[in-house]
Amino acid sequence: MENFQSHTDSGNDVMSYDGFRQEVLKDYRIAVESREVSLLGRREVLTGKAKFGIFGDGKEIAQVAMAKFFKPGDFRAGYYRDQTFMFATGLATVEQFFSQLYADPDVKNDPFSAGRQMNSHFATPFVDEQGDWLDLADRMNITSDIAPTAGQMPRALGLAFASKVFRASGPTDEFAHLSDNGNEICFCTIGDASTSEGHFWESINAAGVMQVPLAVFVWDNGYGISVPVKYQTTKGSISTALRGFQKTELTNGINIYRVKGWDYAGMCEVFETALHEMRETHVPAIFHVEEMTQPQGHSTSGSHERYKSTERLAWEKEWDCIRKMRQWMIANGLAAEDELTEIEYASKQAVKQSKVKAWQKYMEPIAKQVNTAVDLLSQVEAEDEELHEIIRTLTADLKNNHEPMRRDVLRAMSKALLIAPTSPSVEQVMDYYEKLKQENRELYNSHLYNEGPRSALNVAEEAALIPYNAPTVNGYEILNRYFDELFKNDPRVFAFGEDVGQIGDVNQGFSGLQEKYGTNRIFDTGIRELTIVGQGIGLALRGLRPITEIQYLDYLLFGLEPLSDDVATLHYRTKGQQSCPIIIRTRGHRLEGIWHSGSPMSMIIGALRGMYVCVPRNMVQAAGMYNTLLQANDPAIVIECLNGYRLKEKLPSNLLSYTVPLGIPEIIREGADITMVSYGSTLRVVEESAESLAQLGVGCEVIDVQTLLPFDIHKSIVESVKKTNRVVFIDEDVPGGAAAYMYNEVLEKQGGYRWIDVAARTITAKAHRTSYGSDGDYFGKPNAEDIIEIVLEMMRE
């Protein structure tokens, strides 16, 4: 223990004995408090005050040890059992923990998620109310937790990778508030059973290849819910299974450490030395924390007595980490029995008081709503003799509800409005009812996207300037010149993916740019879409602007989980306190073969609500969308047309400043007989069809939606339908996919059904994947002949 120091108190000086003793006692107190939180939290769930509970009991000592070496600038990407770590770092209080357990929607009470996440899903603010990045280099940073097992791994890799990027960039004023020369570590926690997930293995492999400061703490209690580790992991040990990853002097790789979850002194010693080395070398590490216990079982949904033997339960009681730390302190003369008993009693009382305060704060605004609603309903009751008894019962039920919820207030008022619609006081009831609905929309339905100055919808439009003598070049050359200008002027931007660096991507958008701007800014990755997305997430969370390439749209599936579960929900689940302005660049639509011609747009718009989905028809339009997105904080996917890179386009003179507004369709051909709605590559087929139909006397109005998310925010497409009274939606997705989505948006949400004279149509690809070859493309995707035939049929009706 001679080398044990606390970064919180001792700096670089060896701590005095008394200082060391007090530090140990403080850690013990935090551990005891956290255990009491777990015990009382479970009780709150079982009594119905909380919906569900999952706790960190059994991990307390390992987490107070880990927290000692978490420094300002560091990041944590963890999972839902890290409450002790949060208490030990001072980033969470017990009261805040219970506020989240109760789902308190007041962000002042639950500052992690405003009641939107289950307990133990923590976060700290990364951006201010204006959307500007905070001084992340000078604060401890917690990325918002997600529940999918191992889902934190890709993000953790990216956060650690950002430190490497910052270090390679060198100290600059531009990044001073984001990083201290890349000295930051990403602390990642994961349960042992979750190391069986592919996310874990891909992330560890990538970390070992890239050599990034990723510290992975594996909490190993021998089970994955009820399944023993021998059924989870080769050789029954993740550290043993990973031995081939061990770094040597002549290879890259990771460092592997094994510690005992009850050994406070041993863990402090190993963590201190290993993490200090990691800050200097950026070599990643696995800390396999073994022999942990889980005193209350996996969660409140079941009992671990069902699957653990009597002998195992007895062992867990004997080797409980708090019990072992208590024995260690007494044996080493650091504390007396009565002193520890006093700490334990005081800790338990403090937790109870915090729990009560959290419940009171949660109930206070609801009680006020109940009182107001009861007063209003009592007035209705007094005025309406015929319905007196019914309203009185309704009012009494609300008033006598000892633990009401916001929904109970709204339900009571809604019933009263239905029962007594002509009461003289019904207008006051309606006003309060509508007021509460608006308040609750803000509490529960806001912030899916950025709503402040950094919203992509607030970016000013600037049209592309095309001089009369503008050169006509290939589409990929438009992008190449655009990216050249972008990287010259914006040091925040980085681009990477499979084949992006050396060869400049498969379609030459980055051709020659790696040589010009360096391998730190434009670079290749392995074939591993999941962690390519993870790299982008980490860079974006740390204030950079990654353009993260997925080579073909068909391969987005590999990276879809972190985009759907993590990126798309981030702004919502933190109520705007964290943003992830990642841009996923990919290409798709028409080409050749089952896995290079995909247009799975319905999958994307269904899974990625919370991201913007841009579907440019050409590369000038794509560049304008990139400009728009780079001025905002919202995440997005830009899907370039595979068959558009060699089509000729006029080169704009304002490449770096023109913008394409999101959610604003563009009429690219005017007509009076039928409205044709599409996007992307399909528009060229639609335009070909419209030209042929014009020769037959049919005037087609062709509309490019430009973005699917958001979709026509000003409801302009319906204005075209009012003129033509016919509408057809055309795309390359499967039947019932994105075309049906557009159909729903225009006919239902915009009320377009009122203006059509004949049944609207959707023209889509076939349900199967597209067959190989040009004929496969013709018979599998919408073709001009099919479109003409269906439009003529509609004109005859």
Side-chain angles (χ1 to χ4, degrees):
M1 287 297 294
E2 291 85 1
N3 295 325
F4 171 58
Q5 299 174 22
S6 167
H7 76 273
T8 57
D9 294 327
S10 63
N12 295 320
D13 299 324
V14 176
M15 185 184 289
S16 68
Y17 172 78
D18 187 60
F20 168 68
R21 192 181 86 88
Q22 292 302 320
E23 184 78 5
V24 172
L25 290 175
K26 183 194 76 172
D27 287 348
Y28 182 71
R29 174 184 57 77
I30 291 169
V32 172
E33 285 183 356
S34 185
R35 178 64 60 85
E36 188 66 13
V37 164
S38 297
L39 295 171
L40 292 186
R42 184 181 182 90
R43 194 175 303 165
E44 294 299 273
V45 174
L46 298 178
T47 58
K49 282 188 174 181
K51 192 76 173 178
F52 181 78
I54 194 159
F55 306 101
D57 47 308
K59 298 168 178 62
E60 294 91 352
I61 303 307
Q63 290 185 16
V64 294
M66 177 179 72
K68 304 178 86 61
F69 310 104
F70 190 69
K71 295 184 176 182
D74 287 343
F75 283 76
R76 170 190 160 276
Y79 84 136
Y80 39 75
R81 296 192 189 275
D82 290 349
Q83 68 198 48
T84 311
F85 174 86
M86 293 297 293
F87 298 152
T89 54
L91 296 173
T93 68
V94 171
E95 186 179 314
Q96 290 167 345
F97 178 93
F98 280 105
S99 290
Q100 189 178 54
L101 183 68
Y102 298 139
D104 191 326
D106 189 334
V107 72
K108 294 190 297 294
N109 299 335
D110 169 15
F112 318 118
S113 68
R116 297 177 177 192
Q117 294 232 76
M118 287 193 306
N119 70 289
S120 292
H121 286 67
F122 301 107
T124 56
F126 289 179
V127 295
D128 62 21
E129 292 182 357
Q130 303 303 308
D132 295 323
W133 251 255
L134 299 171
D135 189 356
L136 303 184
D138 197 37
R139 58 175 63 205
M140 299 178 183
N141 305 289
I142 306 297
T143 55
S144 179
D145 295 323
I146 58 175
T149 53
Q152 69 274 31
M153 291 297 303
R155 181 209 317 157
L157 173 75
L159 292 165
F161 172 66
S163 290
K164 181 175 182 176
V165 167
F166 282 123
R167 182 168 290 181
S169 300
T172 64
D173 292 340
E174 180 90 23
F175 300 145
H177 66 300
L178 301 176
S179 173
D180 176 19
N181 197 35
N183 292 325
E184 304 82 18
I185 292 173
C186 177
F187 287 57
C188 179
T189 60
I190 187 169
D192 179 66
S194 295
T195 64
S196 298
E197 294 276 15
H199 287 43
F200 174 84
W201 290 93
E202 185 170 323
S203 299
I204 292 300
N205 178 63
V209 169
M210 296 191 299
Q211 296 293 273
V212 295
L214 175 62
V216 181
F217 297 82
V218 180
W219 310 137
D220 184 359
N221 64 4
Y223 290 84
I225 306 183
S226 65
V227 181
V229 68
K230 66 181 180 180
Y231 299 122
Q232 303 273 3
T233 307
T234 298
K235 301 184 179 179
S237 166
I238 190 61
S239 55
T240 301
L242 284 170
R243 280 179 182 168
F245 283 71
Q246 175 65 54
K247 178 174 171 51
T248 69
E249 289 186 9
L250 300 177
T251 70
N252 58 19
I254 63 175
N255 288 323
I256 302 171
Y257 303 91
R258 298 176 72 167
V259 293
K260 306 300 184 185
W262 45 264
D263 182 5
Y264 172 80
M267 286 187 291
C268 288
E269 185 175 357
V270 170
F271 294 167
E272 180 180 34
T273 302
L275 294 170
H276 177 75
E277 178 183 337
M278 181 182 291
R279 291 189 195 281
E280 295 183 349
T281 65
H282 278 189
V283 176
I286 290 278
F287 298 93
H288 185 192
V289 186
E290 301 176 286
E291 296 186 14
M292 305 193 89
T293 65
Q294 205 165 66
Q296 297 188 105
H298 177 74
S299 71
T300 54
S301 62
S303 169
H304 61 153
E305 286 84 2
R306 291 180 300 165
Y307 54 84
K308 290 179 182 175
S309 67
T310 302
E311 292 76 17
R312 172 68 190 191
L313 291 169
W315 179 89
E316 290 195 5
K317 186 175 181 180
E318 172 66 23
W319 290 89
D320 181 279
C321 62
I322 293 179
R323 184 173 188 270
K324 297 303 288 185
M325 183 175 180
R326 195 180 199 278
Q327 292 174 347
W328 173 78
M329 286 189 290
I330 293 173
N332 285 274
L334 292 169
E337 177 87 30
D338 57 349
E339 185 178 16
L340 296 179
T341 300
E342 185 177 334
I343 289 173
E344 292 156 2
Y345 176 79
S347 298
K348 292 176 181 180
Q349 293 303 115
V351 171
K352 289 178 183 177
Q353 291 171 8
S354 294
K355 176 181 72 73
V356 171
K357 286 180 182 178
W359 180 252
Q360 289 173 341
K361 287 182 177 180
Y362 169 66
M363 289 302 301
E364 184 178 355
I366 301 176
K368 289 179 179 178
Q369 292 181 17
V370 169
N371 291 337
T372 302
V374 166
D375 289 343
L376 291 171
L377 295 178
S378 296
Q379 184 64 30
V380 174
E381 174 191 337
E383 292 171 346
D384 201 322
E385 293 185 8
E386 184 178 345
L387 299 172
H388 175 83
E389 286 300 321
I390 299 175
I391 300 295
R392 186 177 70 172
T393 300
L394 192 65
T395 306
D397 287 345
L398 180 60
K399 187 176 182 179
N400 295 329
N401 188 338
H402 296 299
E403 295 177 358
M405 302 175 74
R406 285 172 171 80
R407 68 180 185 184
D408 297 323
V409 180
L410 283 173
R411 283 176 172 174
M413 298 180 74
S414 177
K415 289 179 182 178
L417 291 169
L418 293 172
I419 293 168
T422 60
S423 170
S425 297
V426 75
E427 188 172 338
Q428 293 173 285
V429 176
M430 175 61 77
D431 287 346
Y432 190 58
Y433 178 69
E434 290 299 329
K435 177 186 176 183
L436 290 185
K437 283 176 67 178
Q438 180 57 41
E439 287 181 4
N440 287 319
R441 276 193 289 270
E442 170 62 25
L443 292 177
Y444 296 102
N445 308 124
S446 66
H447 292 83
L448 178 59
Y449 296 92
N450 199 302
E451 298 177 2
R454 296 292 184 179
S455 168
L457 302 186
N458 290 334
V459 174
E461 180 180 1
E462 180 181 330
L465 300 178
I466 310 291
Y468 76 94
N469 60 346
T472 299
V473 298
N474 292 312
Y476 79 86
E477 294 177 280
I478 298 280
L479 288 177
N480 186 255
R481 297 192 193 192
Y482 167 70
F483 288 135
D484 190 1
E485 288 294 312
L486 178 63
F487 275 76
K488 183 190 306 178
N489 288 278
D490 194 340
R492 305 172 306 156
V493 181
F494 295 77
F496 53 91
E498 298 161 13
D499 302 305
V500 169
Q502 185 174 359
I503 69 170
D505 88 42
V506 290
N507 294 102
Q508 299 298 285
F510 284 99
S511 179
L513 299 187
Q514 184 186 69
E515 184 177 354
K516 193 169 184 179
Y517 296 104
T519 57
N520 184 50
R521 295 193 64 199
I522 300 171
F523 52 90
D524 294 313
T525 66
I527 299 177
R528 45 175 180 78
E529 286 81 4
L530 175 76
T531 46
I532 291 173
V533 170
Q535 284 177 249
I537 294 171
L539 292 183
L541 287 173
R542 294 190 63 176
L544 299 175
R545 303 309 301 258
I547 297 175
T548 306
E549 182 162 315
I550 299 297
Q551 194 165 91
Y552 294 107
L553 184 57
D554 302 78
Y555 304 149
L556 184 70
L557 271 169
F558 288 95
L560 188 65
E561 187 277 329
L563 290 175
S564 181
D565 288 331
D566 203 348
V567 175
T569 66
L570 178 70
H571 203 258
Y572 172 78
R573 72 180 190 267
T574 62
K575 202 173 183 182
Q577 296 180 100
Q578 293 185 3
S579 293
C580 185
I582 186 176
I583 296 176
I584 301 295
R585 179 191 181 219
T586 187
R587 51 192 67 83
H589 310 312
R590 310 178 87 97
L591 190 64
E592 304 291 349
I594 288 178
W595 286 285
H596 291 83
S597 59
S599 298
M601 306 310 298
S602 52
M603 174 191 78
I604 291 168
I605 60 181
L608 300 183
R609 300 298 173 100
M611 293 183 69
Y612 288 135
V613 178
C614 302
V615 282
R617 67 182 182 272
N618 57 43
M619 303 312 155
V620 168
Q621 193 182 35
M625 290 177 175
Y626 286 123
N627 281 333
T628 299
L629 294 168
L630 287 166
Q631 292 184 45
N633 274 357
D634 292 297
I637 177 170
V638 179
I639 303 166
E640 297 167 6
C641 298
L642 260 169
N643 59 2
Y645 290 112
R646 295 195 177 274
L647 295 180
K648 304 299 183 182
E649 300 184 49
K650 292 283 189 179
L651 181 67
S653 61
N654 57 338
L655 266 178
L656 210 56
S657 62
Y658 76 89
T659 56
V660 173
L662 307 189
I664 310 293
E666 180 182 355
I667 297 174
I668 59 176
R669 182 188 181 103
E670 294 190 351
D673 295 322
I674 187 168
T675 300
M676 305 172 79
V677 183
S678 190
Y679 59 87
S681 292
T682 307
L683 275 166
R684 287 192 281 281
V685 183
V686 173
E687 288 183 281
E688 178 189 344
S689 305
E691 186 65 34
S692 297
L693 287 162
Q695 296 173 15
L696 300 174
V698 179
C700 301
E701 185 137 295
V702 179
I703 298 178
D704 176 8
V705 301
Q706 300 203 95
T707 60
L708 288 168
L709 293 176
F711 184 90
D712 192 6
I713 59 177
H714 298 314
K715 301 183 178 180
S716 62
I717 295 176
V718 74
E719 298 304 316
S720 175
V721 178
K722 288 179 183 179
K723 177 174 65 174
T724 65
N725 306 122
R726 295 177 178 85
V727 63
V728 58
F729 303 91
I730 309 156
D731 86 329
E732 300 179 39
D733 198 3
V734 295
Y741 162 78
M742 295 188 291
Y743 180 106
N744 171 263
E745 288 285 332
V746 175
L747 295 186
E748 180 183 341
K749 292 187 179 179
Q750 297 185 12
Y753 70 90
R754 299 187 184 97
W755 308 98
I756 57 174
D757 292 338
V758 302
R761 305 288 206 279
T762 61
I763 303 175
T764 71
K766 299 298 187 288
H768 56 73
R769 299 286 183 101
T770 303
S771 180
Y772 174 63
S774 297
D775 278 344
D777 176 83
Y778 181 85
F779 292 107
K781 296 282 183 82
N783 58 63
E785 289 70 29
D786 285 344
I787 295 171
I788 292 168
E789 183 178 329
I790 290 172
V791 169
L792 290 176
E793 178 185 292
M794 294 175 70
M795 296 303 299
R796 289 191 292 267
E797 289 184 15

